Amino acid sequence: MGACCSKEAGLDGSGKEEEEEKYEEDEGRVGEGGARVRLKGSYPFASMYTQQGRKGINQDAMTIWEDFNGEKSNIFCGVFDGHGPYGHKVARHVRDVLPYKLTQELNPPKPKKSDEDYDDSNEDIEDSDDDDVDVDEDDNGSNCHPFFSSWKGAFVKAYKEMDKELNLDSNFNCYCSGTTAVSVLKQGEDLIIANLGDSRAILCTRDSSNQPTSIQLTVDLKPNVESEAERIESCKGRVFALPEEPDVYRVWLPDDDSPGLAMARAFGDFCLKDYGVISIPQVSYRKLTDKDEFVVLATDGVWDVLSNQEVIDIVASSRKRSKAAKAVVDRAVKSWRSKYPTSKVDDCAVICLFLKGLSSSRRPSFDAKEDSVNKRGSQLSQATQTMENGGSERFDTRDEWTALKGVTRSNSLVKLPRFASALSRRWRSFSAEEGDSLRRISLENPTQM
């Protein structure tokens, strides 16, 4: 754990660096409403870093949208942890498309005159319930923001639409692959947090002794959380831990010891969607105060080996903001090697969003060609091409999943359903409707596959 930052140097907003800090900026691109989209790098207001583990290709992804939804004070951050044979593709696709969908839900089209009496405010969120929405009051016990209900509805709809798209998109085989998603939207002093899976967001604030302390903003949605287990078991799914890893609870099919998913909610993973795994996020709200200093979002590769307070101390003691996220990842990798020497180090991704000193005069310049921002469709097309081409990477399912031959703490899945390969070959030869029917048949009668 690092020492608390001092007034002479650190992140408390009162000190100055002896040398001007240098930021490694991502070239970025322009998103919906002119937002500045970042995928890596560091900036005066944020630090981002990810490192591949020892399981194969890095399945973690992350993004920051500055000036989100066309508002100068808005910042959207998201971290995504993929799992399964195609988890890296799912995570990157969600990273690129989910913010667009959230923007659409936050700015719904105005109804026509003939539609004035039609109220669709609750459309597509009938599956959610009050237990899925958490309100975090600030230190003064203030009531929830009056707009929180609409913000919550926008997040729920965007997440559900994202999952529907993955299910219908023939470019992605999400039957046994998926991703988590933890995101925060900062609007002035308002912070809206949405969580799906077991990635996590925490807040650094100052306690009564003016020391940095951690506040967990999300719940790790593991299968053994009581409410999650009740839902899964009511849908005929099974929740239990293997003898080899008694502290890691997983979701299993009713009549097959697979796939052993180590989370209760996720995008994708359609082999378990009929058995209690859902894509509805938990959404919460917090009003920021002068005591709040930064937010950290990270995948479970970090939280499996570091406590909330350890992460806060590491970031708070970093002399440079630009190095804060990397410092957390470096410490997590060392902790993996010392705490779990026989396990494969998991992928790690971290975003540190600093809440103080966000003056627009300090923000880096951002130039883009006009033709790159004219239409949303061109951006989505570019994102799709990136996912289809996969950059310069070559993905070999056999090489990637050798880690699954033995149970290790870092695996999100233990093994794939025995009928998954046959289903994958047939999937692309059917329409979306026929594919849905095929998946239902395969789960009910796997021997037919």
Side-chain angles (χ1 to χ4, degrees), residues 270-329:
F270 293 109
C271 68
L272 291 170
K273 282 295 167 67
D274 289 335
Y275 301 101
V277 174
I278 61 176
S279 60
I280 299 172
Q282 280 193 339
V283 186
S284 59
Y285 166 82
R286 181 179 177 88
K287 184 175 178 60
L288 297 172
T289 70
D290 291 338
K291 294 182 178 181
D292 300 331
E293 297 199 349
F294 56 83
V295 175
V296 179
L297 289 78
T299 56
D300 67 336
V302 171
W303 307 118
D304 279 346
V305 292
L306 297 178
S307 69
N308 293 350
Q309 191 60 44
E310 284 178 311
V311 171
I312 291 299
D313 290 340
I314 293 167
V315 177
S317 62
S318 297
R319 293 182 62 86
K320 294 184 178 182
R321 288 183 170 185
S322 60
K323 303 298 183 182
K326 185 177 186 301
V328 173
V329 172

Side-chain angles (χ1 to χ4, degrees), residues 41-233:
S42 59
Y43 317 92
F45 60 90
S47 175
M48 311 169 67
Y49 192 78
T50 183
Q51 181 170 315
Q52 177 180 323
R54 299 295 297 275
K55 300 188 302 177
I57 191 171
N58 189 348
Q59 294 189 301
D60 288 356
M62 55 189 177
T63 189
I64 293 178
W65 285 45
E66 187 185 3
D67 302 338
F68 183 75
N69 203 28
E71 297 292 335
K72 292 294 183 182
S73 63
N74 289 3
I75 297 178
F76 174 88
C77 300
V79 169
F80 313 92
D81 184 358
H83 53 265
Y86 303 100
H88 62 300
K89 292 187 176 182
V90 180
R92 294 172 192 174
H93 186 69
V94 173
R95 172 199 68 188
D96 292 335
V97 178
L98 180 61
Y100 283 114
K101 293 189 177 296
L102 182 57
T103 300
Q104 290 178 329
E105 298 299 338
L106 290 171
N107 299 286
K110 295 181 180 180
K112 300 178 181 179
K113 290 184 178 180
S114 58
D115 297 331
E116 287 180 350
D117 295 331
Y118 175 66
D119 180 11
D120 64 349
S121 59
N122 294 319
E123 186 178 3
D124 284 339
I125 56 175
E126 62 275 7
D127 292 338
S128 64
D129 51 53
D130 292 339
D131 292 337
D132 291 329
V133 181
D134 305 312
V135 178
D136 182 12
E137 296 184 349
D138 64 16
D139 294 337
N140 298 321
S142 301
N143 292 327
C144 181
H145 195 286
F147 290 155
F148 175 67
S149 178
S150 61
W151 290 336
K152 178 263 295 184
F155 270 93
V156 171
K157 286 185 179 181
Y159 274 58
K160 291 188 69 175
E161 286 300 317
M162 184 75 254
D163 206 44
K164 288 180 181 178
E165 177 179 308
L166 290 171
N167 193 21
L168 298 175
D169 194 335
S170 61
N171 294 315
F172 297 94
N173 183 345
C174 298
Y175 189 67
C176 297
S177 299
T179 185
T180 69
V182 61
S183 60
V184 298
L185 172 58
K186 180 183 179 297
Q187 297 190 147
E189 296 180 347
D190 300 315
L191 196 68
I192 303 97
I193 310 103
N195 184 41
L196 191 72
D198 57 359
S199 294
R200 188 186 303 172
I202 64 173
L203 171 73
C204 174
T205 191
R206 292 278 168 172
D207 61 17
S208 58
S209 301
N210 199 36
Q211 297 299 311
T213 187
S214 65
I215 295 178
Q216 188 164 323
L217 299 174
T218 59
V219 175
D220 297 347
L221 296 172
K222 302 282 191 180
N224 59 317
V225 174
E226 184 176 358
S227 58
E228 302 297 299
E230 289 178 355
R231 184 189 66 249
I232 292 168
E233 291 171 353

Side-chain angles (χ1 to χ4, degrees), residues 12-23:
D12 62 351
S14 61
K16 294 182 179 179
E17 299 286 350
E18 294 182 359
E19 299 180 0
E20 183 178 356
E21 186 167 359
K22 296 181 180 180
Y23 296 94

